[in-house]
Amino acid sequence: MKAKVRKAVIPAAGLGTRFLPVTKTVSKEMIPIIDKPMIHYIVEEAIESGVEDIILITSRHKEDLERYFDYNYELEDRLMKAGKVEMAKGIKKIAESCNIICVYQKEPAGLGHAVGCARPVVGGEPFAVLLGDDLIDAKVPCTRQLIDVHEREELSVVGVMEVPLTETSKYGIVGGKKLDERTLRVETMVEKPAAGDAPSRFAIPGRYVVDSSIFDSIAKTKPGKNGEIQFTDALLDLARNKGLLAYRFDGDRYDTGDRIGYLDATLTFGLRRPELRAGILALLEKHRTGAK
Ligand code: G1P
């Protein structure tokens, strides 16, 4: 019988150095896009994809993340007493809609190591992995698209998008045999290759659905690029031993780990809010023309 994907792992133990100094005391995942922290969007994608249990891989410095997914009884009570019922329900919703399980990554040993920390919670089930620096805006959530492929093909799958050769050094890049317009069977994977070493232009922007045998691959993986246990290297082992697909998902991706990508996401999501649209457009015009 096919196993349903009910769990998602979200690695969130990183230091967020690209957003210093704010990340000195605020977790980078808590930086808001308008008024919701980035992690909120990622957790929503997982929930909308059918995930029930979310395993946050975090560290002892990031209690703000854990607290965000808890109830805030005092605040809810005060909002209720002030007659702000919708607001009170709104702040409770994310905490009600899934189970959040926090696991510490005790040492910064790489993304593969971070995912490996979820083993005791995930057990033998297939699961999704979502990286917090990548927001993917799609009609069908990207993780759902990958779960559909996993259910149909009964193979682990990574989401990919085509990038220019000048950008291969920012991503894990896959190479392999084309099966159809959207799907490849992965034969090789390289973490952040220079353009000349890239097996293709298909890059992984942080969405994966994998079988639990990935944990054996992670356990075998030696430190690779930057002396870290790379998830990409473990996935290559999985590809060779059990098979792995790459699926060109339908959707737009924002690199919110990058300051310009972050602004792009803020504008895109802000312009979609009817109450903010006119104000944002007026501001952009003011800056474009230099008007006072
Ligand atoms: C990680 C992964 C890389 C992936 C990228 C997506 O790198 O190691 O394979 O393409 O996320 O954002 P990081 O950006 O964390 O260095």
Side-chain angles (χ1 to χ4, degrees), residues 208-264:
Y208 318 76
V209 171
V210 285
D211 289 313
S212 60
S213 48
I214 189 69
F215 291 125
D216 290 334
S217 299
I218 291 171
K220 277 198 265 173
T221 301
K222 303 263 178 302
K225 196 154 191 139
N226 303 329
E228 296 179 343
I229 297 178
Q230 294 292 346
F231 193 40
T232 302
D233 295 342
L235 285 162
L236 181 57
D237 181 78
L238 185 77
R240 288 184 174 145
N241 291 307
K242 307 270 177 180
L244 177 69
L245 300 175
Y247 181 74
R248 202 162 51 75
F249 59 87
D250 191 17
D252 297 324
R253 179 265 187 170
Y254 297 87
D255 179 6
T256 52
D258 170 78
R259 283 166 294 181
I260 292 293
Y262 167 74
L263 279 178
D264 188 9

Side-chain angles (χ1 to χ4, degrees), residues 151-171:
E151 284 181 354
R152 196 170 60 235
E153 307 295 337
E154 296 190 46
L155 271 181
S156 300
V157 54
V158 298
V160 290
M161 60 181 188
E162 222 165 340
V163 296
L165 274 179
T166 48
E167 291 195 10
T168 57
S169 62
K170 291 189 190 169
Y171 302 97

